[in-house]
Amino acid sequence: FGSSGSSTVSPVLHLAFFLLASVLAAMYTRFVEPGRLALITYGPCAGKVCTVVDIVDQKRVVVDGPESVTGVPRHMMPVKRLSLTDFKLNITRGAREKTLKTALKKEDTMAKWAATSWAKKVKAKEVRSNMTDFDRFKVMVARKRRSTELKKSTKKTKK
């Protein structure tokens, strides 16, 4: 900093860097770790919830549903295809399917997940994608009916 050529960093600058680093560390809380509940975003199991069981390397993890609960078998998956949630089970690395089931049941994690707005949006998207043509027609008619009722009620209040 100065013309003296010394490489010492001022204490104020050092404190600023420390505060910035601590604020950034506090901002991120969803880490890839055994027991983390995640939503699969791509592949044959897309839209299903799984649990991270083991970490293979920097880019891959082993996930398990378990299959009887969520429909996701134990397999290796890239981290890119997962969206981590706030829920974390208290399990050890490489836990068996039985241990995973008991942890899910004990903490009632699946019910907590189903109550979140994220899970409700995923469910609504799935329901919409599975609608038949006649179902879409019924929704359109119901929306039109609701709209006309709303218009009638607003006309009455304006008069």
Side-chain angles (χ1 to χ4, degrees), residues 18-58:
F18 175 74
L19 290 174
L20 181 66
S22 64
V23 166
L24 289 175
M27 288 171 66
Y28 190 75
T29 55
R30 293 179 185 171
F31 298 106
V32 178
E33 54 191 330
R36 178 68 61 185
L37 206 69
L39 181 72
I40 300 174
T41 56
Y42 184 80
C45 296
K48 295 181 181 175
V49 178
C50 66
T51 310
V52 175
V53 177
D54 199 356
I55 299 169
V56 179
D57 59 23
Q58 190 75 24

Side-chain angles (χ1 to χ4, degrees), residues 5-88:
S6 68
S7 63
T8 59
V9 179
S10 72
V12 174
L13 192 60
H14 185 67
L15 180 65
F17 280 127
F18 175 74
L19 290 174
L20 181 66
S22 64
V23 166
L24 289 175
M27 288 171 66
Y28 190 75
T29 55
R30 293 179 185 171
F31 298 106
V32 178
E33 54 191 330
R36 178 68 61 185
L37 206 69
L39 181 72
I40 300 174
T41 56
Y42 184 80
C45 296
K48 295 181 181 175
V49 178
C50 66
T51 310
V52 175
V53 177
D54 199 356
I55 299 169
V56 179
D57 59 23
Q58 190 75 24
K59 294 186 176 186
R60 293 175 299 164
V61 293
V62 175
V63 296
D64 193 355
E67 193 165 12
S68 60
V69 179
T70 63
V72 179
R74 184 175 287 229
H75 65 286
M76 192 165 47
M77 175 166 254
V79 177
K80 269 195 208 177
R81 296 183 178 188
L82 298 174
S83 290
L84 302 175
T85 66
D86 289 330
F87 299 103
K88 186 188 177 303

Side-chain angles (χ1 to χ4, degrees), residues 136-146:
R136 283 189 287 276
F137 172 76
K138 288 191 289 188
V139 168
M140 179 196 69
V141 169
R143 286 179 68 187
K144 282 184 176 181
R145 190 173 291 141
R146 187 179 68 191

